[in-house]
Amino acid sequence: MDTIEVRGFGDIKKLFEEREWSQPIKVELEEEISAADLAAKLDIPFEKIEIIFVNGKASPFGAHCLIKPGDRVAYVPPGTPGPYRVLLGFKNEDKK
């Protein structure tokens, strides 16, 4: 079994702190898992997640994104300010 590192930003980071989780938390994985399944496993409400980073690459949370043992993952909440959205490599398509 291998581990992944999971980080949370904004309100998700606050959730980690409330649960007294380290930053990052280490999660054991036996096989690939989707970003949604990992969020469910960690009991992170889907509405708190807009973007997921896997090994530094940003994807919308709804995109089919597989996480493999050894990966580094970060969940980002909605509401990240505009300039940071560009710097982090994502934008909210719904706000065109």
Side-chain angles (χ1 to χ4, degrees), residues 6-73:
V6 182
R7 290 172 172 77
F9 293 95
D11 288 342
I12 301 167
K13 181 177 187 270
K14 290 177 188 173
L15 181 68
F16 281 31
E17 291 168 353
E18 290 169 7
R19 295 176 180 176
E20 298 181 1
W21 291 352
S22 62
Q23 183 80 288
I25 60 171
K26 305 265 186 192
V27 178
E28 292 187 3
L29 284 185
E30 294 181 18
E31 58 189 12
E32 291 181 338
I33 189 171
S34 72
D37 287 343
L38 177 61
K41 179 178 179 171
L42 296 175
D43 195 27
I44 301 171
F46 290 180
E47 66 272 7
K48 289 190 177 277
I49 306 167
E50 179 181 12
I51 300 294
I52 181 165
F53 280 87
V54 179
N55 298 323
K57 182 180 178 197
S59 298
F61 178 62
H64 187 66
C65 181
L66 288 179
I67 299 161
K68 299 180 277 299
D71 283 348
R72 293 172 297 117
V73 178

